[in-house]
Amino acid sequence: GQNIDQPTEMTATEGAIVQINCTYQTSGFNGLFWYQQHAGEAPTFLSYNVLDGLEEKGRFSSFLSRSKGYSYLLLKELQMKDSASYLCAVRAADSGAGSYQLTFGKGTKLSVIP
Amino acid sequence: ETGVTQSPTHLIKTRGQQVTLRCSSQSGHNTVSWYQQALGQGPQFIFQYYREEENGRGNFPPRFSGLQFPNYSSELNVNALELDDSALYLCASSPTAVDTQYFGPGTRLTVL
């Protein structure tokens, strides 16, 4: 099976930087995704890492260490609209079906305060 | 906007009934995955369809079934509804089975 852990809630100040951590245990690892989900809406894709290192995309960066089973999402210059849940998801091979399966963590609810 | 659409937006059913949810994938995408998201939880994988064939299944009972059509749109059918089936049902499409998935707006199902 797979196990994905991320903090339940975080609070940060507008304009600041926040780091959301995600740890995972899985076999057949094939990539890690971060999605943003505003309340009552669908998840939207933020970033994808399959190799170790940092991927930067504007105010958002994501880091992966496969040997440690660890990733983080870094949000810079926080804005009020960044208040949302952030979902870490691991893609792994489903050896039985010969396909890949995406498993999500429970999400981290980020509140940005003035 | 991802180009993935779902219908209906909201649905209320009673225990024991059956429901069909629909998803139109983004143009050019041949893979559709379905997820169940309970309140305060992350999405849970139900199954994936690739070129009209089931291509992987999560830990859901057989009363959850699906179809994918030649135009790559998809249906999720749930029989014998239970109260715990109340959730947001999300479909996601991707260009292939190993590409990034893009989600539709979801269908909110309430079972009374």
Side-chain angles (χ1 to χ4, degrees):
Chain A
Q2 299 180 40
N3 191 37
I4 300 173
D5 286 315
Q6 48 181 132
T8 304
E9 294 185 25
M10 297 182 72
T11 301
T13 306
E14 193 176 14
I17 299 173
V18 71
Q19 178 174 312
I20 302 174
N21 296 324
C22 171
T23 58
Y24 64 89
Q25 295 171 318
T26 188
S27 56
F29 176 84
N30 190 259
L32 188 141
F33 296 79
W34 285 95
Y35 284 83
Q36 179 191 61
Q37 186 175 29
H38 285 99
E41 298 182 11
T44 55
F45 169 70
L46 289 178
S47 69
Y48 166 65
N49 295 71
V50 66
L51 300 176
D52 291 352
L54 189 68
E55 293 284 339
E56 296 185 82
K57 194 186 287 187
R59 295 190 298 116
F60 294 72
S61 303
S62 57
F63 172 82
L64 175 67
S65 168
R66 289 172 296 168
S67 62
K68 295 181 179 177
Y70 168 69
S71 173
Y72 67 72
L73 179 69
L74 194 71
L75 292 77
K76 303 175 188 175
E77 301 169 16
L78 280 172
Q79 302 174 11
M80 300 298 289
K81 68 178 182 179
D82 297 329
S83 292
S85 284
Y86 290 85
L87 299 163
C88 171
V90 171
R91 184 171 66 197
D94 178 353
S95 56
S99 62
Y100 293 95
Q101 197 172 116
L102 199 59
T103 302
F104 284 82
K106 293 184 177 181
T108 299
K109 185 177 179 182
L110 174 67
S111 298
V112 180
I113 58 176
Chain B
E1 293 279 331
T2 62
V4 181
T5 61
Q6 292 186 244
S7 62
T9 307
H10 296 87
L11 202 52
I12 299 175
K13 291 284 188 179
T14 55
R15 266 188 313 175
Q17 286 190 309
Q18 178 266 341
V19 69
T20 297
L21 310 181
R22 295 178 174 82
C23 171
S24 290
S25 57
Q26 188 174 330
S27 177
H29 289 191
N30 60 27
T31 303
V32 172
S33 304
W34 284 93
Y35 295 86
Q36 180 195 68
Q37 186 175 24
L39 207 57
Q41 304 292 314
Q44 276 200 290
F45 175 69
I46 302 174
F47 44 57
Q48 180 183 85
Y49 278 83
Y50 169 66
R51 293 189 172 183
E52 303 179 60
E53 297 286 331
E54 188 177 288
N55 187 44
R57 189 179 182 91
N59 191 26
F60 279 80
R63 61 190 185 83
F64 285 79
S65 63
L67 280 174
Q68 188 179 32
F69 301 100
N71 65 356
Y72 302 133
S73 66
S74 178
E75 284 182 357
L76 164 65
N77 299 290
V78 187
N79 293 322
L81 282 167
E82 301 177 0
L83 297 179
D84 284 350
D85 295 334
S86 294
L88 180 67
Y89 287 84
L90 296 161
C91 86
S93 77
S94 49
T96 70
V98 294
D99 283 309
T100 298
Q101 297 181 16
Y102 297 91
F103 285 85
T107 294
R108 173 73 62 186
L109 173 65
T110 302
V111 182
L112 303 176

